[in-house]
Amino acid sequence: MLFLIDLHLYLAKIQIKLFPKKVFEKVYILLYMFRKLLLVQLFLFVGLCMLAPISSQAQIRQVNVDNMSDDQIKRIVAEMKQNNMTMSDIDSYAEQKGVPASEAEKLKSRIVMMGLDKSLEAKKSTELFQQDNQYSGRSFNNADTSKVDLFRQGTDPSDVKRRKVFGAELFTNKNLTFEPNLRMPTPSNYRLAADDQVMIDVYGYSEVQYKLTVTSEGYIRIPNLGPVYVNGLTMEEAKNRITKQLSTIYSTIATGKTFVQISLGNIRSIRVLLIGEIQRPGTYTLPSLATVANALYVSGGPDENGSFRNIQVMRNGQVITTFDLYDFIAKGDLTNNIVLQDQDIVKVNPYKTRIELIGEVKRPAIFEAKDNETLQNMLDYAGGYTDGSFKDNITGYRINSKEREVINVPADQIASFKLKSGDQFFIDSILNRFSNRVTISGAVFHPGSYGMERGMTVVDLIKKADGVREEALLNRGLIRRLQDDFSPAIINFNVQDILSGKVTLELKKEDSVVVFSKLDLRPQFEVTIGGEVNKPGVFPYADSMRLEDLVLLAGGLRDAASLKHVEVSRRIRKGDYNSGDSLKAIIKQFDISADLSSIKDQQLILEPFDEVVIRKSPAYSEQSNIMLEGEVVYPGKYVIVNKKEHISDLIARAGGLKSEAFPEGAVLLRKTYINSSDSSLLSYKLALFYNKLEDSTSINSVKNMMERKYQLLGINLADIIKRPGSKYDILLEEGDVLKIPKKLQTVQTFGEIYFPKKIRYEDNITFRDYIRGAGGFTSSALKRRTYVVYPNGEVKSTRKIFFFNKYPKVKAGSEIYVPTKRERRGLSGQEVIGLSSGIASIALIVVTILTRVK
């Protein structure tokens, strides 16, 4: 684009010689200016491009893992592999990339779900918990301990299928731990070995304690005695041998005056190898009191193909026991959960037979079966049937050599049914229906469901429901019935005939009898009363209800109620249609007595939906109070005597003005509105008034006055006193407040003035003098909108005469307000770029037209 502008500038220089000079000089200057604008645009574009990488980094921090594809997750894992990072480093990785902690957790879950977590696992053991028993003096010797998480605090999410296997929750539930009990008494069959700590306590005539560790050769060295071989001895055998050796230096042991006690202190660690179908196979360092279950737990338990029932413990090349987890889960039997020894091998074999139970059993899951077990054994492991199960038949799905097969297992064959790996059995639920249910609802004393008996009729069912209620509709009832093809049908009957025995109607299964209520079949009848009653509102209608009754229900008449012209409006509910009849309601007026004994001349019985209005007595009048404050002889509250009382009458009743009163500053505060019907119109006017005000101080003062529900009404009390009854002497109204101040001697300035303050009033000082006395106008002052508020509430604004401002006259007690100019906002950077782009485009069009015209 710059090249085109330069080209057209060059052509313009040539064309100046051939065409009128003034035309091409203007075009040349215009093109030169547009060239500069385009250069500015170019620099702005380059700046935005430089900022783009910063914004892209910000977008990285706002990444949403839920929106990432699987390929993106794989790239993240590949980057972690290159940096030798593991799953435990995922948080630092996320922090490095600016990903929030919540998104980091989502990233971990996605990696696990995709099966990529194994590729990030480092080849290191986990740490076995460390127990320091202060009570027994026994602690675990962890000198050569691998890092094993015995409590499974950092367990990763397991595969969903493995969780469904019965028994897998033992290794995935963090609330369950197979922690070796290091606080229990030393087992009698426990044999000492290297690294065990033997505590010897000699007491009696001689007092001495020893804490001795078994050496790798199997000896403990007793001071002043020498080495004693204890390797492979039980605690009882070790006690006998040590006591015998100590008798050589403590002669009182043989006489029974000195005693020897042997106990086990810190226990040794053993190394156990876990192999086979296990989550984390390898060599583990465990306490010497650890059992098979402890070893399985620290290694994560059997994996997806591992057996829970064929776990072998091998010692010196021989299988010494086979551990079945189901014995522990189902029976609590830990007989084969033996204590492991150093160099033992725990092998988890692959499972042989697994079947799945789903449906109405107490513990639906995948179960492992032994060769001699049947379907009944699996049901026992599942806790048996649920209460709503269908026990007559179990549907099975079996995988054959070529295809699948559906198997029916009757109840009498469950105990002998042989299982095949991969079988899936579904236990269905019973039907959700009743074999002998009938129901009754509506206007009976005990509606609900009842058992149907042979030959049961409708009257029998009504009697079981304790009969019909008083408001029952006796001429018609209904039976909802399901036909043989389960299509619905309605059968009607006469309730009175059924009850009297004239008609007999036999019931069928699932019949539903409905006895209707008269109250439910008619609208809710009500009557309304308003006006001068204590509790106006809507009341339920009752038969034979009279006007006086409704007045009493409404709390009686108010003091202002009129006993005449009580109006009752009645809804037209019956009659024939007449197109020429324009009547919409029936209106009647009555006179009532003060004691509500009866309506004069006649009795009025109300009908449903009647509306009653009690009018206010036209002669009733409440006191209207006004407040007179300030410089009068007797200020205070006054009651308006008559409807034609003026301000001058009130001043006269108050004893006149005091000598120091300032009548020019008197103000009258009047309520915002008197009648509720005025409120909507007044709210609209006030909203317009707020929008017109530009000075925040004025807006706040007016709003505060409106919140008090009073408006300032400007009056001239001096003229009112001189000319009582004139047009300025207005009538008083309820709630008026007349305030007469003392003589005021100051003028207050507000708004855009350098130093707004109070200034002493002088007769010979003008508006401009008061402004100068407060520092003068600021640069933001809107001089042509200045105005003066006089003490009596009148407002005068500045007028414009030709090109000059004529400011209003200032009186004692006046307030001068100077509004603020509205700020003018300049063009933003985007607006400048947009405007320049538009001008440049127009310029190119103009240049192109000029080129073609030539």
Side-chain angles (χ1 to χ4, degrees), residues 310-327:
N310 187 13
I311 302 170
Q312 296 175 336
V313 179
M314 306 178 69
R315 186 175 297 164
N316 300 325
Q318 301 292 328
V319 177
I320 61 172
T321 188
T322 300
F323 182 52
D324 187 349
L325 268 173
Y326 281 21
D327 289 341

Side-chain angles (χ1 to χ4, degrees), residues 585-632:
I586 300 172
I587 306 297
K588 294 184 179 181
Q589 291 185 342
F590 303 92
D591 295 340
I592 60 176
S593 59
D595 58 358
L596 300 176
S597 58
S598 63
I599 300 175
K600 295 180 180 179
D601 301 330
Q602 67 183 82
Q603 297 282 332
L604 176 63
I605 298 178
L606 296 177
E607 293 185 4
F609 309 110
D610 279 356
E611 295 182 4
V612 179
V613 179
I614 309 294
R615 307 293 181 186
K616 184 177 181 180
S617 176
Y620 189 84
S621 177
E622 298 177 359
Q623 295 93 332
S624 298
N625 297 316
I626 58 176
M627 182 65 69
L628 180 59
E629 301 175 359
E631 300 305 311
V632 292

Side-chain angles (χ1 to χ4, degrees), residues 336 341 400-401 477 531 805:
N336 294 327
Q341 294 186 12
N400 290 325
S401 58
N805 293 328

Side-chain angles (χ1 to χ4, degrees), residues 198-203 210 239 243 246 259-263:
V198 180
M199 301 179 67
I200 305 174
D201 185 10
V202 180
Y203 61 95
Y210 301 105
K239 179 182 179 181
T243 302
L246 288 174
F259 304 93
V260 178
Q261 183 177 359
I262 308 297
S263 61

Side-chain angles (χ1 to χ4, degrees), residues 267-279:
I267 62 175
R268 68 183 182 275
S269 61
I270 60 174
R271 296 180 66 83
V272 178
L273 178 63
L274 285 93
I275 60 174
E277 301 297 330
I278 202 164
Q279 288 289 327

